[in-house]
Each structure stands twice: as structure tokens, then as C-alpha cells.
Amino acid sequence: MFTVDVNLEQCSPGQVVAMDIVDDRGITLVGRDTVLNSYILSRLKELQVERIQIYADNEKVEWNKEKNRADIHGIYQESVLRLREVTHRLIKGTPVCSKDIESISEGIFLTAQEHEAIVKYLQMLRASDEYTFGHCINTAFYCMLISKWIGLDTTAIKLSIQAGMLHDLGKARIPDEVLNKKGRLTAEEFEVIKKHPELGYNLVRQVEALSSEVLDGVLHHHERMDCSGYPEKISADGLGITARIVAVADVYDAMTSDRVYKKGSTPFKAFRMFQTTGVGIFDPMVVSPFIHRLASYYTGCDILLSDQSRGSIVYVPPHDITSPIIQIGQDYVNLAERVDLEVIALL
Amino acid sequence: MKILVAEDDLVSRKFLVKYLSQYGDVDMVMDGFEALEAVILSFQEDMPYDLICLDIMMPKVDGVKALKAIRELETQRGMLPEKRSKVIMTTALAETQFVQQAFEIGCEAYAAKPIDIAKLTEVLRKLGLIK
């Protein structure tokens, strides 16, 4: 995709920002890959931004978007089917080699450039339950985005995809009544669930020639930087990068998905968690790039506010990603100024 | 000298920023997570902070948690102990167990608010940050 340097006056809604727009103090105003709309254009004009970089050939970009959205759906559904098949073979003890795993991760990796489409697709999906392996594939996609956004090389990205898709296979060995219980888990039931990283590790170890980095990601995806995790309560020193990535991807998808026992939280609630209780627990070098890049992709989403009014997100301020600007009809609502309002759902 | 002030109270923040500006460039943030992001950015620019003033009581993430995470980032980066940022914790009350925890994790000093300028200058001198 080509980028062009243009005057702000020549820009119109729908064009896509190619490089972070930064003010003269170095503060990011609009992140790369944000789709321009009239709100953002008028704010940039007020702030006297004169030239920006956008992706050229916009019709081509639009057409590609439609084409690739279809591809993501196809790849996603196929990945779920293949993962289910691989899991059944692992449980039966039928040989699985790393090529079987790689064929799935290679498929997912084909979508690696389609950040916005992936985020929007996963957001639309939202319902993921333990049976359909949806959560595993969601996590794999998020792992891919994270490892790209923290600058890992292609090999490492693919390994993180594999770790992401395999991380919860141990749940196939957890009894149904516990796994899909609608109410609160008892202490004993929780202890049973906590076995799934180890169970998963034992299943996945059977795969011939699977990278130890992936195995580590599966075993340690519930470990935390402050030794508060499980099963081994290891500290940050013992926690490899793949496990740190899976931890963040797993929790983000878990929080934002609907489950049998709860409705999914909004991305903003998840961002807030990472910025508060998540500090010291997850690696900030993983969290910070992830939530900042991710936040801008929710621009354009329709949402429901806590006063039941409906609007759409026109801008997610990079310095305050939990307080987006919402457009309702012709008005703009700045959630940073309205402590009484919050986004309660994405539509 | 490159300085980071993490302070959620407006008055204290303005005060510290104004006082410290005479010694170098001062960045300011309002909570622990932003402090972490500022440190990460300083690493990316290869210009780590010489001094970080962390408020022990901040919204969202308290100073002790932030301190722990910052030290963790420095360790990950392989920073030698003498190259690590000097940290001064600021505290409004006698939050002794927090101050204790901060020293255990690794800070250089604490300053009780309202901040005594003469004492703070003395501490900066002792830490070798100013002449």
C-alpha cells in the first residue's frame, strides 16, 4: 500500500491515516490506521495540523477490505474446525505432528496485515464458548496482533499464534459440569479448572517437533509477573515472551467475550483493567503497545451508552483510551468530561 | 537531567514541576500506568530518566506498584544498578508500611508533603543529581 503526504484540507472522511499524527510536543493525536471522519478532521484543523500521511488509492483499499473481511471469516471458521480435529486426535493419542499445527497458524498468519478487519470481526463474534474452540482461535489472532505490534520477527509471531491457539486445550480434559457451570465455582471446582494449563501442556507435548517456546506458552499462560499465577507461581524472570503475550491475549478475549456465566465487557473496561489492577501482573511492554494500537480500531463502532442512548465512536484519544468521543446524531459527547456516562456495549 | 513526576494532586504536581524545571526537562503524569508508559518511551528513545518522583497514593495504580513495575522494566532491560533511575516517593500521610515496601523494592528517598524545598534540594545533592 502506498502512502502519500497530503495537506489536511485535501483530506476527506474515509481515508486512512498511514502514520501516527503527532503534535509539536510529541503527543500522539491520531494513531496510524485510524479511519478519518469529520470529527477528527475538524479537531486536527483546530490544532493547526497541516500535513499528514494517508494510504493512497483509497478505492483499492475499500475493495480489499471487503475481500479480506470474507477471507478472515473463512480462515477463522476453518481454523476452528481444524483445531477441533487436532484436539480430538491428541486426546485419543493419535499422532499429531507440528505440520498439522503449522497449517493452522500459517492460515491465520495470512491475515496478518488486516488489523482493522480482524479486530472488527472478533468484536462482532463475541460469543465464544468452551466447546467450539472459538476462544482459542480468538486468542491466536490477538497473539498475532500483539507480537506484530511489539516488533517480533515472523518466526516468533507464528509461534505466538500456535501458543495462542493451543493454550486452552487442557480444558478438553476438564469435566463439563465444572467447565460450563453457570454459577460461581466452589474452591474445589476452581482448583480443578486451574489444572488446565498442565493438562494442556501434557496433551500438546505429544505433538512431534513442536517448539518449546509454544509449550512454555501453553504451560505458563496463567502465570503472572508478580508470582500470583498458576500452576507454578513463577516470577517474571521465569516467564518467556510467548507466555506473557498469551496471558494478555487470553485475558482480553475472555473479558470481552460473552460466556455462559456473564456478558462480555467493553474493550474500554478491559483497557481500564490493564491500566489499574493489571499493573504488576501483566508485562507493560506487552500491554501498552497492544491496548494503544487496538483502541484506535474501535473508531467507527456503534455503541450503547449507560443512559441508553446510541451513538458511534468518532475518536479514541491516544492519551486516554478509556474515554472515547461519541457522536450521537449531530452532537459529540466527550466521555472524559462526562463522568456520569460510560459505554456499556458495542453494537 | 531528565525527570519524571507522577503525581495526581494538581497543586503538588505543579509545585514539583516548577521546582524541578530548573534542573532539567520534566515530564509529568497523573497515574501509575502513565508513569510506566513514560518509562517505556524513555527506554525506546534511549534516554532513561535520571530522577522519578512517585506519589505513593495515586488513582488506578499506587506508587508502590508502579515502583515495582518500573524496577522490573529496568531489570528486563539489563540496566546496571548504578544506571537505574533514582526514585523519590512522595507521601501526604505517614503511610509507613507503603514507604517501607517502597524501600524494600528500591527507592532512594521519600519526601513527606507538603514538600520541604530545602530538604529536597539536599537530597538531590546527596544523590549526586545536582551539584
Side-chain angles (χ1 to χ4, degrees):
Chain A
M1 283 205 265
F2 293 111
T3 69
V4 281
D5 209 44
V6 290
N7 284 328
L8 193 67
E9 298 135 12
Q10 297 172 301
C11 294
S12 49
Q15 291 175 324
V16 184
V17 176
M19 213 171 75
D20 287 349
I21 300 175
V22 173
D23 75 4
D24 44 19
R25 286 182 301 157
I27 297 184
T28 305
L29 297 171
V30 179
R32 130 185 60 164
D33 290 340
T34 303
V35 179
L36 290 173
N37 54 46
S38 33
Y39 176 85
I40 293 176
L41 286 169
S42 60
R43 283 305 320 276
L44 288 174
K45 195 164 162 211
E46 274 171 35
L47 293 165
Q48 298 177 326
V49 171
E50 285 173 351
R51 288 181 78 77
I52 66 172
Q53 278 201 9
I54 56 169
Y55 290 117
D57 232 357
N58 245 50
E59 280 159 16
K60 197 165 161 201
V61 172
E62 278 309 316
W63 179 77
N64 275 337
K65 271 192 184 157
E66 283 311 314
K67 172 174 177 286
N68 288 312
R69 212 163 276 147
D71 287 341
I72 288 171
H73 176 71
I75 287 170
Y76 184 96
Q77 299 300 335
E78 175 152 1
S79 302
V80 169
L81 287 174
R82 287 191 181 188
L83 182 62
R84 177 187 287 146
E85 200 256 321
V86 159
T87 307
H88 289 159
R89 280 161 62 193
L90 284 172
I91 292 186
K92 279 202 283 199
T94 316
V96 172
C97 73
S98 66
K99 290 245 177 316
D100 300 322
I101 307 296
E102 277 161 35
S103 71
I104 308 177
S105 59
E106 289 292 332
I108 294 174
F109 188 72
L110 287 176
T111 70
Q113 310 288 0
E114 307 303 322
H115 306 164
E116 204 203 344
I118 291 169
V119 173
K120 294 254 158 75
Y121 182 76
L122 293 176
Q123 173 52 40
M124 184 198 67
L125 271 188
R126 243 172 320 165
S128 74
D129 72 80
E130 314 302 337
Y131 287 131
T132 61
F133 300 91
H135 167 63
C136 285
I137 300 299
N138 294 352
T139 305
F141 273 99
Y142 286 124
C143 284
M144 177 174 73
L145 292 176
I146 294 174
S147 49
K148 270 195 86 178
W149 292 341
I150 63 177
L152 298 186
D153 64 35
T154 305
T155 311
I157 296 174
K158 291 181 180 180
L159 290 180
S160 77
I161 296 174
Q162 291 175 18
M165 74 187 190
L166 297 173
H167 81 282
D168 262 358
L169 289 208
K171 288 189 176 173
R173 284 247 156 95
I174 304 280
D176 247 357
E177 321 78 78
V178 177
L179 198 56
N180 289 305
K181 182 179 178 188
K182 283 202 168 73
R184 265 211 129 76
L185 294 173
T186 64
E188 295 85 36
E189 286 165 339
F190 194 49
E191 286 304 311
V192 169
I193 296 251
K194 278 165 77 171
K195 291 199 164 33
H196 80 267
E198 235 179 301
L199 293 171
Y201 176 77
N202 289 330
L203 270 179
V204 164
R205 258 170 62 197
Q206 296 169 91
V207 177
E208 212 187 305
L210 194 64
S211 160
S212 59
E213 189 65 28
V214 175
L215 291 173
D216 189 67
V218 172
L219 181 61
H220 291 147
H221 73 270
H222 274 293
E223 299 288 357
R224 300 294 179 244
M225 304 281 283
D226 63 352
C227 307
S228 64
Y230 58 90
E232 292 166 35
K233 287 188 156 359
I234 57 178
S235 70
D237 290 333
L239 211 43
I241 185 67
T242 309
R244 295 175 188 214
I245 292 172
V246 178
V248 171
D250 176 26
V251 163
Y252 183 76
D253 185 61
M255 270 192 85
T256 53
S257 298
D258 294 334
R259 289 282 169 91
V260 281
Y261 51 87
K262 64 151 178 89
K263 258 200 141 346
S265 299
T266 64
F268 306 106
K269 205 152 176 221
F271 298 154
R272 183 162 280 128
M273 181 283 294
F274 281 118
Q275 291 173 336
T276 58
T277 48
V279 171
I281 293 183
F282 303 103
D283 184 349
M285 306 270 316
V286 171
V287 170
S288 185
F290 177 52
I291 63 179
H292 280 280
R293 293 283 306 256
L294 193 56
S296 61
Y297 293 119
Y298 292 108
T299 312
C301 285
D302 293 323
I303 55 98
L304 183 67
L305 285 178
S306 44
D307 65 358
Q308 301 306 315
S309 52
R310 287 168 185 243
S312 63
I313 299 171
V314 284
Y315 179 55
V316 183
H319 62 277
D320 191 5
I321 57 178
T322 57
S323 307
I325 311 283
I326 310 295
Q327 179 168 11
I328 304 180
Q330 296 300 323
D331 299 315
Y332 296 116
V333 176
N334 183 345
L335 291 183
E337 293 165 1
R338 297 290 305 270
V339 274
D340 55 316
L341 284 181
E342 64 174 349
V343 177
I344 55 173
L346 265 63
L347 303 169
Chain B
M1 188 175 29
K2 215 181 153 203
I3 305 160
L4 176 66
V5 171
E7 177 69 58
D8 82 295
D9 169 55
L10 178 67
V11 171
S12 304
R13 186 169 68 241
K14 284 190 112 145
F15 181 71
L16 271 174
V17 169
K18 191 159 182 205
Y19 166 71
L20 292 168
S21 296
Q22 61 182 300
Y23 298 119
D25 292 324
V26 186
D27 292 335
M28 58 182 180
V29 294
M30 275 162 273
D31 66 59
F33 189 77
E34 284 186 348
L36 276 188
E37 293 194 307
V39 169
I40 290 176
L41 192 61
S42 76
F43 286 171
Q44 283 170 354
E45 296 171 343
D46 211 11
M47 292 197 299
Y49 290 105
D50 300 289
L51 171 66
I52 301 176
C53 289
L54 277 180
D55 181 6
I56 275 191
M57 278 303 173
M58 283 185 287
K60 295 194 198 176
V61 179
D62 64 67
V64 173
K65 253 191 170 181
L67 173 64
K68 188 150 191 247
I70 290 172
R71 290 308 187 206
E72 186 56 56
L73 284 171
E74 288 175 331
T75 305
Q76 255 182 199
R77 195 171 155 83
M79 271 175 119
L80 296 167
E82 59 267 19
K83 288 263 188 310
R84 292 166 31 139
S85 303
K86 306 264 189 290
V87 175
I88 298 178
M89 308 297 294
T90 64
T91 150
L93 311 163
E95 296 135 332
T96 40
Q97 94 264 36
F98 285 107
V99 175
Q100 182 60 30
Q101 279 173 20
F103 275 110
E104 280 168 22
I105 295 167
C107 67
E108 274 60 43
Y110 84 93
K113 292 189 270 195
I115 299 193
D116 181 325
I117 281 298
K119 276 196 187 156
L120 182 57
T121 313
E122 188 51 41
V123 169
L124 292 182
R125 202 168 283 137
K126 274 211 182 118
L127 291 176
L129 292 166
I130 61 175
K131 301 249 182 312

